[in-house]
Amino acid sequence: MNPAMPRISWVRTLHRASSSAPRRIAASSFASRHISTTPLRSSTKNTEWVRGKLWKDGEAPGAADPYTQRPDYVPEDSAVTRLPRAALEDIDPSDKRALAVRRSRLPFPATRNEAATPKEVGATDPAYEPATSLEDLTEMGTLSDWWDQPGHWSELDQFTAFASPEKVTDKTVIEVYYRRAFVEVLALQKTGALGEWATQKWVEGSRADLDAALAAEIVIQDGGAVLNGDGEATAIASSLKQTTEAETEVTRPERISSEEAAEMIKAWDPSWKEIAVTDQIKFALRKRLYQLTGNLIPDAKLGAAATVGHLLTLTAKQPKAKRLAEILQKTEEIVQLANVKLHDRRVSSIDREVAVGRWKLIEEELIKRDLPLTGTSDTSRNREMQHLLGKV
């Protein structure tokens, strides 16, 4: 046995404690050191460099070190704002409403406040008499019907759509309105007013304006087209420049029928569809047809169109069906089959009983037995499974 080896266990414990004591002393001495928060000179230079880059017009405002220095200028109301002086003069500090609400011409409901006492009202109104019963009280309207009351919603705030509310889908009717729009564009182009009126709203006009535009003769020259006669072009162009007051008095004309449109198309030369159109004419045609029929050509397809026929094809495209039943109902081969019947929804067992005439008898018997006509009434599903699991 080695005589230097300690024979008692607690000697080894003291030895380990003595060896770890210097480490605890070093940790405590490190914790007692003062931590300085003073920025270094390099960080101050970096801050000044960044401030100079961000604020190039003159000296940067504010303190260089916002943690230790105070700004040179402090406004009287301690509120920093970048609004112009004219806007600050219009703002009432006592009015807490939004700026859009304050500048609106609509009469918004008053803010909630406390009712005045009878003594306070009597001081301002000598003829005031307090109510003695519930019938004497004035009935005040609620906020739910505020905008329905007269004077709270003006005609200027009514939404007026530019496009036609009824979308035309018949190809022959669209071609008639395309012919009218093309004649009107040629009339404005001949009078030199197309550049001015291309972006403005045109008057929809009456049925007489439609007949006058369709009666105009189109002459093809060098791949383009012009109207034959200066008098007709001037009359058509002037009908589009009516004032807004005259436009509101004229009601929306009635749509022409598909049969009438087909008769009109037969009298026209089909070569008018091959007339080339410029970008200005395409924009005016699309805008005018969107106003008359409610059909809008997308910008991506409008750029690829080169003739009137191209525009007509893009506009007269039938809308996609939302359901499969709509597609099948338009398929003549399926509709003509005698042993096939199309339904727009799933056919249930009740529909089959109604078709053969047995549902009335079944309904009477169910009512006699106090049974539900459809469904399970108050009985939930999987009732038998609940019995097997012991939940009922």
Side-chain angles (χ1 to χ4, degrees), residues 315-377:
T315 309
K317 188 176 181 180
Q318 296 293 330
K320 295 182 179 180
K322 298 181 180 180
R323 304 177 61 184
L324 178 60
E326 298 178 5
I327 302 176
L328 297 178
Q329 289 174 356
K330 295 179 181 179
T331 307
E332 298 181 358
E333 292 79 1
I334 298 178
V335 175
Q336 293 177 357
L337 296 176
N339 59 341
V340 175
K341 188 175 181 180
L342 298 175
H343 300 272
D344 57 352
R345 62 180 182 84
R346 183 181 65 87
V347 180
S348 61
S349 58
I350 298 179
D351 296 332
R352 298 189 185 96
E353 299 296 340
V354 170
V356 297
R358 286 197 299 258
W359 176 246
K360 290 184 179 180
L361 301 176
I362 297 174
E363 186 177 5
E364 292 177 358
E365 296 298 327
L366 291 174
I367 294 175
K368 290 180 182 179
R369 292 167 173 78
D370 196 15
L371 295 174
L373 299 180
T374 57
T376 58
S377 186

Side-chain angles (χ1 to χ4, degrees), residues 39-77:
L40 299 178
R41 293 183 178 179
S42 59
S43 61
T44 305
K45 294 181 179 180
N46 294 336
T47 305
E48 294 177 355
W49 180 83
V50 172
R51 284 164 55 82
K53 291 294 182 180
L54 294 177
W55 196 275
K56 296 183 180 180
D57 299 337
E59 186 179 357
D65 189 359
Y67 298 101
T68 58
Q69 302 178 12
R70 300 188 63 180
D72 299 335
Y73 169 73
V74 179
E76 297 179 358
D77 54 353

